[in-house]
Amino acid sequence: MITFYPGPSKVYPQVEQYMQDAYHSGILSVNHRSDVFMQMLKGTIDVLKLKLDIPSDYEVYFVSSATECWEIIAQSLIARSGLHIYNGAFGEKWMEYSQKIRPESNGFSFNLNEIPEIEQLGIHAEHEVICVTHNETSNGTALSTEFLTDLRRYTAKIIAVDATSSMAGSALPWTTADVWFASVQKCFGLPAGLGVMVVSPDAIRKAESVADKSFYNSFLFMRDNFQKFQTPYTPNVLGIYLVGRVMEQVLPISEIAVDIRKRAEEWYTFLSENGFELAVQNEEVRSDTVIAVQADREKITQIKSMAKLAGIQLGNGYGQWKDSSFRIANFPAITETEISLLKNFLFNISA
Ligand SMILES: *Cc1c(COP(=O)(O)O)cnc(C)c1O
């Protein structure tokens, strides 16, 4: 089965060998406070920062998932209130998690085809962190670098970005925000079970002023550990090892992002030309990494089941678009050959 599911998604085929290498290297049985582990963690962070072009003064921590990052931000970077700007299910869910921990947090929602006006977002003095979703996996929209640049110019508050389905696929404008995070089962082409958190010096200063040290995953506690190339709890050693190996393997993000953008443009053209209705009409807000197609419920069910028979797994719709759309992951681990197969399939059923 070829999978275009946008997470968990196709893993790089090399992962099979890397898993064997991990086993044979002995890393899976070493103590996570040992030199061997610490060197492996340092090497992984170094190659990740290099390949993803992360500024040298930003720090990288590994946690268990993007969802855990939602929790860490609410616990450790927001003392009272954050502002969530969202247009889809993941952004909304993040707000709901924040509100459980910091009930004064609130949200600003915008429409699918809209680029929100920064002056209208309702950023108030009491908001400590502005939370945005770079790539809304549920509906195939993305925030542009221009938007993030304007937001950075507009406010000196901490900006946190959920980049779960774009990090390692798109070139992220790192300096426009203070916290970026992702899970590895999307554009990293890796098995689930690890989150990546990238933080600016300002985020660290904010964490110091909030001074939360109440939880096993409190920001400052994590940072203390990562500064020694250790982790607060026994980590997903295999997952961290695999990040390192895949980051060694992949091209620099500047090159990957160009390729992913080109593939996305080809997808959007192909789908429009063959009678498929794109979920996102405004070209300026379309995602490069998650492509959403809409149709009536019956047609969606039919396309998905025919695809399955052809050995192709399409992504289901998500949230309010569950039954009225399907999604196509445009992640780096997916090959041109696989894309051609899906295009042939879609071409044939549309004829
Ligand atoms: C997948 C996804 C998440 C959740 O990731 P987990 O690994 O399940 O925590 C959060 N935000 C976005 C935008 C996602 O695509």
Side-chain angles (χ1 to χ4, degrees), residues 142-303:
L143 294 173
S144 66
T145 293
E146 198 184 353
F147 175 84
L148 290 166
T149 305
D150 290 348
L151 183 61
R152 175 75 297 167
R153 286 207 189 104
Y154 183 79
T155 177
K157 293 173 189 290
I158 296 298
I159 299 172
V161 188
D162 183 339
T164 302
S165 55
S166 52
M167 191 186 291
S170 299
L172 301 175
W174 298 109
T175 55
T176 62
D178 301 292
V179 183
W180 296 84
F181 60 89
S183 293
V184 298
Q185 74 274 17
K186 309 216 171 151
C187 289
F188 285 84
L190 284 163
L194 203 65
V196 180
M197 196 171 183
V198 179
V199 303
S200 74
D202 282 348
I204 294 162
R205 271 190 288 278
K206 174 68 180 168
E208 282 165 351
S209 83
V210 173
D212 156 52
K213 289 187 180 153
S214 308
F215 306 99
Y216 79 95
N217 58 3
S218 290
F219 187 104
L220 295 175
F221 184 42
M222 257 186 356
R223 176 166 196 252
D224 286 347
N225 276 271
F226 273 87
Q227 287 204 304
K228 296 178 286 185
F229 298 106
Q230 295 186 4
T231 53
Y233 52 90
T234 317
N236 178 350
V237 179
L238 176 60
I240 295 170
Y241 173 89
L242 293 176
V243 170
R245 293 298 302 271
V246 161
M247 283 294 119
E248 279 166 21
Q249 164 206 316
V250 296
L251 291 170
I253 191 63
S254 56
E255 291 175 48
I256 289 186
V258 168
D259 192 42
I260 291 295
R261 161 81 38 100
K262 182 170 145 277
R263 287 182 182 193
E265 281 167 4
E266 288 166 1
W267 264 125
Y268 287 120
T269 307
F270 170 88
L271 290 162
S272 310
E273 284 177 353
N274 288 285
F276 292 92
E277 196 184 339
L278 296 167
V280 185
Q281 272 88 46
N282 182 355
E283 289 178 23
E284 285 179 58
V285 303
R286 281 181 192 157
S287 162
D288 286 346
T289 52
V290 179
I291 289 144
V293 179
Q294 69 179 22
D296 57 58
R297 184 185 291 246
E298 228 167 284
K299 190 156 177 220
I300 294 290
T301 312
Q302 191 193 8
I303 294 173

Side-chain angles (χ1 to χ4, degrees), residues 68-88:
E68 189 187 357
C69 295
W70 291 347
E71 184 180 90
I72 292 167
I73 292 164
Q75 285 171 179
S76 298
L77 293 176
I78 302 174
R80 297 183 71 89
S81 163
L83 175 65
H84 290 259
I85 297 157
Y86 64 92
N87 75 350

Side-chain angles (χ1 to χ4, degrees), residues 290-337:
V290 179
I291 289 144
V293 179
Q294 69 179 22
D296 57 58
R297 184 185 291 246
E298 228 167 284
K299 190 156 177 220
I300 294 290
T301 312
Q302 191 193 8
I303 294 173
K304 283 193 307 198
S305 65
M306 281 167 71
K308 228 174 215 163
L309 286 174
I312 299 168
Q313 172 79 56
L314 293 169
N316 290 332
Y318 194 95
Q320 73 178 100
W321 299 279
K322 191 172 177 8
D323 297 319
S324 58
S325 70
F326 67 82
R327 293 173 301 159
I328 301 169
N330 183 32
F331 294 166
I334 296 168
T335 62
E336 292 287 354
T337 312

